[in-house]
């Protein structure tokens, strides 16, 4: 008459057609609506996080490029400073040579 007991479980009071009771159907509807709301929230949050990830990756690339430029500028400054120091060392050595030559008595040839 009503089928096997497993087929009727959760179908409401015996003898009622149409499946779930009204209260159960309303509860299922509320749960489905809540699930749909949670899925929408999840998709929205996932899109936000994907946007943040993309933004962070762009910022990281820009920061690395900026740091590379700073390092290059510092290297150029160091090379310029080294060249200046080398020029000063040459100038000092030249002055020392000139000074030692100037302070050394000259021998005059005998005639």
């Amino acid at each position: 008459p009503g089928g096997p007991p497993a087929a009727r479980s959760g179908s409401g009071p015996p003898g009622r057609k149409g499946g779930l009771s009204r209260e159960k159907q309303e509860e299922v509807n509320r749960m489905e609506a809540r699930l749909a709301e949670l899925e929408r929230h999840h998709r929205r949050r996932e899109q936000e996080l994907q946007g943040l990830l993309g933004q962070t990756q762009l910022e990281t690339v820009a920061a690395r490029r900026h740091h590379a430029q700073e390092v290059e500028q510092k290297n150029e400054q160091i090379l310029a400073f080294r060249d200046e120091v080398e020029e000063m060392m040459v100038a000092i050595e030249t002055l020392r040579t000139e000074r030692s030559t100037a302070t050394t008595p000259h021998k005059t040839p005998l005639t």
Side-chain angles (χ1 to χ4, degrees):
R8 285 191 292 148
S9 68
S11 62
R16 181 175 175 173
K17 292 186 178 182
L20 297 175
S21 70
R22 181 176 166 165
E23 294 83 20
K24 293 283 184 185
Q25 186 61 47
E26 288 175 357
E27 183 178 353
V28 168
N29 291 343
R30 283 192 303 272
M31 291 171 68
E32 287 175 344
R34 178 69 177 140
L35 179 60
E37 179 184 339
L38 289 172
E39 287 174 342
R40 282 190 304 275
H41 175 74
H42 174 75
R43 280 191 299 275
R44 206 171 32 247
R45 184 67 178 141
E46 188 173 10
Q47 288 173 347
E48 288 175 12
L49 292 174
Q50 287 295 329
L52 287 173
L53 177 62
Q55 181 180 352
T56 301
Q57 288 172 336
L58 290 175
E59 289 173 357
T60 300
V61 168
R64 285 182 180 163
R65 189 175 299 132
H66 177 74
H67 290 141
Q69 289 173 345
E70 285 183 341
V71 167
E72 186 177 333
Q73 289 173 349
K74 294 299 179 188
N75 284 340
E76 289 172 1
Q77 290 174 355
I78 289 169
L79 290 174
F81 177 74
R82 187 181 74 184
D83 289 344
E84 289 177 20
V85 169
E86 286 178 6
E87 288 175 13
M88 284 191 266
M89 295 298 290
V90 168
I92 290 170
E93 188 61 34
T94 302
L95 288 174
R96 282 185 182 158
T97 303
E98 289 175 2
R99 186 178 296 162
S100 68
T101 307
T103 58
T104 308
H106 294 296
K107 295 183 182 179
T108 53
L110 297 172
T111 49

